[in-house]
Every structure is written in structure tokens, then in C-alpha cells.
Amino acid sequence: MLTVHHLNNSRSQRVLWLLEELGVPYDIIRYERQPDMRAPKELRAIHPLGKSPVITDNGNTVAESGAIVEYLIDTYGNGRLIPPPKTPERLRYSYWLHYAEGSAMPLLLLKLLFNIMPKRAPALLRPLVRKVSNQALTTLVNPQLKQHMAFWESELQKSEWFAGDQFTAADIQMSFPLQAAASRGGLEHGHPRAMDFLARIEARPAYKIALEKGGPYEVGR
């Protein structure tokens, strides 16, 4: 039986959703974040880096969101949720599948870190840390994030979904960056297509079932 090692409020929620879209049976082993929001050390018994998501299936241990999506689509998809090979849609699919973690999430993680650093700094250092964090956000993170959100908006004006007119696993992969941007990046201001994308994915039956199985999910809040 395929097993998802599921960390609350994490990227592994996308794995549950993909499995529900594919109708693949699976077990869930739950892990809770520590007070500092890091994954518990028990996950290291599954994968040396102790990160989530991780799946185990037929003797295979697969980590990294993009690799897990590719594995599940290749193993259980039977041509579903992926465009045909050698098409423009397939090229777009591959791009967004890897862009989500390679380009979008590092910026959103930096924004989260610079926002929480002043709160966690020692009292005497807090004003300095706040100044440095605000400078980094103003000059580096926020301008780039604004550019990326405009990019999402323009791409979703070309087609209903990121890879084309059909919903694919690339949309599942892109859900986390857009949800994080809606939570802490200002996506709701001037990006109606992106916000409509979020409304449409969150209305999907498989998404709702995955939420019920995965537990509370509040990205970035």
C-alpha cells in the first residue's frame, strides 16, 4: 500500500490531493510540526533530510514534491492529469511542475523568514533585525514577488489552467505557491485570474476530500 508521510500544514497536502484526483488508495502516517514549525525528527527515519512530503510505495522512498508528482503520474496516471508528449501543453506542464518549487517558493519562504525574524530576535537586537529585514523585503523580495505574481496572472489569461485548457498535475503543484502568496504576498490585490484559479481548485471534490483526510491546512497563516 502506498503511504504518504504527511506533515500538517505542508506541501504534502498536495500529494493527498493528487492521489484523490487519481483515485489511488493510500495510507497516511501523520507528523506534527514542532513549536518552531520544523518537522519532527521522526521523519528522518523515513528520509535522511527529515522533510515532507515523502511517500513510500513498493519498496521505493520518494521525496521532493516534483519528484513525487512525476512518480505518481508515471506509475498510476495512465495518461491522466498530464498533456500528451511533444505538445506545447506538455512543455508548459514540465515548466510549471518545476517552477513551483524552483522559483516561486524560495521567494515566498524568504518573505516568511524576514517577517518572523524580528519577532524571534532578542529584544536588544530586535530594532536592528527589523531594519535589516524590512530593507531586504523592500529592495529584494517584494519587487521580485510582485513580478512573479504578475507573471502568474498573465499566464492564466492565456488559458484556464497553467499548462493549457485542461487541469493537470502542474496545477496541483502550483496551488501551494499561489495559496502562500494569497496568505502573505498580497495576491488578492490586482490578480483576479490567480484568485479565480484558487477558488476553482478549492472547489474540486478531490481537493475537499484531501483536506478532510489531511487535517487543518492554513498555508502561511
Side-chain angles (χ1 to χ4, degrees):
M1 174 70 76
L2 188 153
T3 299
V4 180
H5 298 269
H6 176 61
L7 180 67
N8 66 307
N9 274 337
S10 79
R11 293 162 169 85
S12 63
Q13 185 64 42
R14 289 181 300 192
V15 178
L16 303 183
W17 176 21
L18 175 56
L19 289 167
E20 292 296 334
E21 293 280 0
L22 293 173
V24 177
Y26 60 93
D27 288 331
I28 301 177
I29 298 179
R30 300 176 185 276
Y31 303 82
E32 294 295 320
R33 290 185 181 275
Q34 300 176 93
D36 61 6
M37 297 304 293
R38 290 186 296 179
K41 62 183 180 180
E42 287 79 7
L43 266 172
R44 293 181 186 173
I46 309 303
H47 188 275
L49 295 181
K51 302 289 186 179
S52 180
V54 180
I55 65 169
T56 51
D57 183 41
N58 293 323
N60 299 308
T61 299
V62 188
E64 292 294 338
S65 300
I68 291 172
V69 171
E70 289 186 326
Y71 174 84
L72 294 177
I73 291 295
D74 288 346
T75 306
Y76 299 104
N78 295 318
R80 294 172 295 165
L81 300 184
I82 184 171
K86 299 181 180 180
T87 62
E89 291 79 10
R90 182 64 163 265
L91 185 60
R92 289 181 68 187
Y93 169 90
S94 296
Y95 173 78
W96 291 110
L97 192 68
H98 296 284
Y99 163 93
E101 293 295 325
S103 295
M105 282 311 300
L107 274 177
L108 289 157
L109 180 58
L110 283 174
K111 186 171 181 66
L112 176 63
L113 291 176
F114 284 126
N115 279 330
I116 65 176
M117 281 172 57
K119 302 174 184 177
R120 298 188 177 184
L124 290 176
L125 295 177
R126 200 164 295 153
L128 176 61
V129 174
R130 182 178 293 110
K131 182 177 180 180
V132 172
S133 295
N134 288 341
Q135 183 72 10
L137 286 169
T138 301
T139 62
L140 175 64
V141 178
N142 289 341
Q144 289 195 44
L145 183 55
K146 182 178 180 180
Q147 183 180 13
H148 281 255
M149 292 191 295
F151 178 42
W152 305 341
E153 186 72 11
S154 67
E155 290 296 302
L156 288 170
Q157 289 174 356
K158 297 177 182 178
S159 58
E160 185 175 4
W161 302 103
F162 275 101
D165 293 329
Q166 301 296 319
F167 174 80
T168 70
D171 298 297
I172 295 176
Q173 185 75 335
M174 281 298 296
S175 66
F176 196 87
L178 267 71
Q179 287 172 330
S183 294
R184 58 178 179 264
L187 186 68
E188 69 275 16
H189 302 300
H191 305 95
R193 294 296 183 98
M195 293 303 293
D196 177 67
F197 169 86
L198 289 179
R200 286 186 284 117
I201 64 170
E202 291 170 4
R204 294 181 70 86
Y207 181 93
K208 295 178 179 179
I209 294 171
L211 275 185
E212 292 174 2
K213 293 184 178 181
Y217 177 63
E218 298 179 354
V219 178
R221 295 184 176 88

